[in-house]
Amino acid sequence: MTAREMFKVSAGLTGLLVGLAGCTGGGDGATAEGATRQGGTLRVVGSSDVEHLDPASVASVGAYGLARTFARTLFGTRASNDFQETIPVRPDVAARIPTRENGGVSKDRRTYTVGLRDGVRWNTSPPRQVTAQDFVRGFERLCNPASPSAGKGYFLSTLKGMDEFCRGFGSVDAKNAGAIAAYQRDHEIAGVRAKDDRTLVFKLKSPASDFLNLLSLPFTAAAPREYDRYVPDSAEFRQHTISDGPYQITEYKPGISYLLGHNPAWQAGGDPLRERHVAKIRITLGQDSPETVQQQLEQGTADLAWDQPVPTPAIPRLRDDPRFAIRETPNNSPYLVFNTRSPSNGGALGDRAVRQALEYAIDRSALIKIVGGPAVARPLHTVIPPGNSGYAEVNHYPTPGESGDAAKCRELLGKTGHSELTLKFPYRTNSVHKLIAQSIAENLDACGVETELTADSGGSFYSGTLGTPARAREGAWDIAAPGWVPDWYGNNGRSIIQPLFDGRTYGQNSTNYGGYDAPEVNALIDQALTAPDADHAAGYWQHADQKIMQDAAIVPLLDRAQTIFRSSRVHNALFLPTTAAYDYTRLWLSGD
């Protein structure tokens, strides 16, 4: 399968779509052609700040949507309310899709040559052209010691010389911007080279049918030379972001708000994926109540929710409202992850039998009610959700009516010698995450397991807690309920299994939150990555999924669609599944 071909959505996802057909919401707010209005301030309201603002280390759907406005990649995808239209990889800063036919891909499929388009400029003074070297710098920053990218594992296993470059980078002083910049200046990644200002050459370890997908990920964005002045993703860096997209961050108050305005250097003719209609984008943070956010949207004092889905009780009355929609985002969100490195309870969660017992505790039917019912979510029993490469329905731990089996949980737990457990359980404070955590805690209580629930807010849930190995090793948490939306759709097997379960990439900012490390799974990842085509790779991903579930590394909970609402002012609202939001650069506003 070539990079231009698309993975077909599975029959399982099709079944879900039939169930959602009556409540996907009609309107995107578009009016007659030519009626687009320029100007106005888009008002976005929500709860938590992003964990990482530096494009090199963005890791959440909110950060992906924000980065899209100011940090451009070689390739990308186009927002649409037709899920299939969001899948194909399209040129962004790249002038065209490289193929074997046009000479962009070598015969052995291990060399990619990518030319850059005209009209892409930084908002520097004076504005200057984005160059191939800026993209090289972006790749070099992926494994910086201060804020390494959660996605660096994709490239460690794909690009020549990336692993050697990153190993050397690890010994550099993470607090010294000069030392970090010097390492990047004095060392090269063998597989990433600027042939000239307008041409990049990538050398792969082996053919990778999803390589163009990797080049569309937000953390592969170009990085201007000014970024060398700052420690990556530091407070100082966050006040000095530079844009080559349609918008630029003009004001940032950490944990409080963002204000974005026009990037004067941006040219519409040089950007095939984005537009620019609103004059400003204001993102206001600190509102943890989805009910309050929804009220503001309906009253017209806000336009979009930042990180809050529509409150579950409001869904029935909004079913026929053209401003409401249920959008496809095939995902594993949330799932319950076990901290296998925790010393708590005598290291009980490192015991597979303990984790297998706890698999039976969870009442998924209750969780479905919490998020909005079967029109919004369905139970998930695998690591890979429907609609993703490698999915196959297998239920290793069935319970009657998806309601959990506390008796079986207690029975199996009693055989492990760890029947008395107390688990530290941090949870996110926005959306329905508190209700989900409370429901899971009740399930575990019925199994004889105590939990200590703690609110984890302010954007620290991922970066400060789950993504910090030292916190895991000291037993600061035992279980948690993060979510995972694949980094891309289509030929995307590695966008789920590799970042979540490759034990070799466990470290700071890793998304293998529980520290799971199984040599058999690592080997299956390698086999999938070197498979001759996507169909063969899917078989390895499926096998890895089964092994992970046999090891009970996580408890899959829900495959959940995104409920989303817009104010009456918002028109041309087009959805981008990987950001779980509408594309800010495409919509426009009617009169204030």
Side-chain angles (χ1 to χ4, degrees):
M1 180 178 288
T2 68
R4 294 282 293 178
E5 293 175 315
M6 298 191 309
F7 177 81
K8 301 299 182 182
V9 176
S10 72
L13 178 59
T14 302
L16 176 61
L17 300 185
V18 171
L20 299 182
C23 42
T24 53
D28 60 6
T31 59
E33 186 176 353
T36 302
R37 178 180 179 271
Q38 305 299 312
T41 298
L42 177 69
R43 302 160 301 181
V44 185
V45 179
S47 175
S48 300
D49 204 343
V50 299
E51 293 85 359
H52 304 285
L53 181 57
D54 188 334
S57 51
V58 293
S60 64
V61 291
Y64 278 26
L66 180 58
R68 184 177 177 86
T69 67
F70 73 91
R72 293 179 59 183
T73 50
L74 291 168
F75 303 95
T77 56
R78 193 165 176 81
S80 173
N81 293 332
D82 180 342
F83 179 77
Q84 290 293 333
E85 291 182 2
T86 69
I87 295 177
V89 174
R90 306 172 189 269
D92 186 350
V93 179
R96 64 180 181 178
I97 295 286
T99 65
R100 293 178 68 179
E101 291 73 22
N102 65 26
V105 181
S106 64
K107 290 183 179 181
D108 65 1
R109 295 179 293 136
R110 296 188 182 198
T111 302
Y112 284 68
T113 302
V114 180
L116 307 189
R117 71 173 67 245
D118 289 325
V120 183
R121 300 185 299 171
W122 296 115
N123 64 334
T124 50
S125 182
R128 66 173 187 273
Q129 184 78 22
V130 173
T131 68
Q133 184 56 44
D134 293 329
F135 278 97
V136 172
R137 183 180 297 104
F139 277 89
E140 290 175 342
R141 297 180 78 250
L142 290 179
C143 51
N144 74 78
S147 184
S149 174
K152 68 178 182 180
Y154 293 139
F155 301 98
L156 289 172
S157 56
T158 304
L159 288 173
K160 283 188 175 181
M162 189 75 180
D163 45 1
E164 293 88 351
F165 180 87
C166 290
R167 278 199 300 272
F169 215 163
S171 61
V172 174
D173 184 355
K175 298 181 180 180
N176 187 329
I180 291 172
Y183 182 85
Q184 293 175 185
R185 182 178 61 250
D186 298 337
H187 297 78
E188 296 180 347
I189 303 170
V192 185
R193 181 173 64 88
K195 182 178 178 180
D196 53 46
D197 282 351
R198 300 281 301 280
T199 310
L200 281 158
V201 179
F202 296 95
K203 297 284 187 179
L204 279 57
K205 292 181 177 180
S206 59
S209 60
D210 59 2
F211 186 60
L212 294 186
N213 295 101
L214 299 185
L215 298 184
S216 72
L217 299 177
F219 34 76
T220 66
R225 58 177 178 261
E226 286 82 358
Y227 282 2
D228 288 347
R229 302 171 184 170
Y230 314 109
V231 172
D233 203 38
S234 62
E236 186 180 17
F237 172 94
R238 291 184 177 210
Q239 296 296 335
H240 294 89
T241 53
I242 291 177
S243 173
D244 59 354
Y247 292 92
Q248 59 187 7
I249 299 175
T250 58
E251 179 184 85
Y252 171 49
K253 298 178 181 178
I256 299 174
S257 65
Y258 291 87
L259 182 63
L260 285 77
H262 284 185
N263 169 10
W266 180 80
Q267 299 175 327
D271 194 333
L273 299 181
R274 300 164 191 80
E275 299 169 11
R276 186 174 68 193
H277 304 298
V278 304
K280 297 179 180 180
I281 302 170
R282 179 173 292 281
I283 302 170
T284 304
L285 308 171
Q287 183 49 260
D288 290 340
S289 168
E291 290 77 16
T292 300
V293 170
Q294 182 64 27
Q295 184 180 44
Q296 292 182 46
L297 298 179
E298 293 187 42
Q299 292 176 345
T301 57
D303 298 308
L304 293 176
W306 166 247
D307 56 358
Q308 306 274 31
V310 175
T312 299
I315 292 175
R317 69 175 174 82
L318 296 174
R319 182 183 180 95
D320 298 320
D321 192 318
R323 298 171 295 176
F324 170 74
I326 299 177
R327 301 297 182 197
E328 297 171 62
T329 52
N331 59 53
N332 196 336
S333 186
Y335 64 93
L336 189 68
V337 61
F338 298 111
N339 177 6
T340 64
R341 310 289 178 108
S342 174
S344 305
N345 305 286
L349 293 182
D351 184 340
R352 180 174 69 167
V354 170
R355 302 193 301 268
Q356 288 174 331
L358 297 178
E359 292 273 353
Y360 288 97
I362 308 304
D363 182 352
R364 291 178 176 84
S365 66
L367 299 179
I368 289 173
K369 292 176 183 177
I370 288 173
V371 301
V376 176
R378 62 177 170 182
L380 184 65
H381 308 106
T382 55
V383 170
I384 302 172
N388 293 275
S389 179
Y391 169 75
E393 173 56 28
V394 180
N395 189 351
H396 294 272
Y397 310 98
T399 65
E402 300 289 352
S403 298
D405 190 336
K408 187 162 189 176
C409 174
R410 287 194 301 270
E411 175 191 353
L412 294 178
L413 202 56
K415 297 177 180 179
T416 67
H418 295 284
S419 57
E420 295 184 3
L421 298 177
T422 300
L423 303 178
K424 297 176 183 177
F425 189 175
Y427 64 87
R428 291 171 281 175
T429 55
N430 64 315
S431 184
V432 293
H433 297 303
K434 181 177 180 179
L435 295 176
I436 289 171
Q438 289 173 334
S439 181
I440 293 172
E442 290 175 4
N443 298 159
L444 293 172
D445 181 66
C447 186
V449 176
E450 294 185 18
T451 56
E452 296 177 355
L453 288 169
T454 56
D456 197 329
S457 60
S460 65
F461 178 73
Y462 287 108
S463 60
T465 303
L466 301 194
T468 303
R471 299 278 287 161
R473 290 191 294 267
E474 70 187 21
W477 66 279
D478 297 302
I479 58 173
W484 186 257
V485 176
D487 283 320
W488 70 92
Y489 290 100
N491 178 18
N492 72 340
R494 85 154 92 190
S495 74
I496 301 169
I497 298 293
Q498 186 177 26
L500 296 184
F501 302 104
D502 189 334
R504 297 163 296 186
T505 60
Y506 183 64
Q508 186 65 35
N509 291 351
S510 168
T511 49
N512 178 6
Y513 304 121
Y516 175 77
D517 188 10
E520 182 179 341
V521 170
N522 295 342
L524 287 166
I525 290 171
D526 292 342
Q527 289 174 293
L529 297 179
T530 56
D533 54 55
D535 290 334
H536 284 85
Y540 291 117
W541 297 127
Q542 183 178 328
H543 189 182
D545 188 323
Q546 294 174 356
K547 172 60 178 172
I548 293 163
M549 287 309 305
Q550 289 166 2
D551 285 346
I554 67 168
V555 182
L557 299 174
L558 302 177
D559 176 17
R560 182 181 173 192
Q562 182 76 9
T563 56
I564 192 167
F565 189 89
R566 57 177 176 80
S567 78
S568 298
R569 299 198 317 152
V570 176
H571 302 267
N572 201 43
L574 301 172
F575 193 71
L576 200 62
T578 52
T579 70
Y582 291 127
D583 185 344
Y584 302 145
T585 73
R586 302 282 303 282
L587 55 82
W588 56 273
L589 304 171
S590 53
D592 292 329

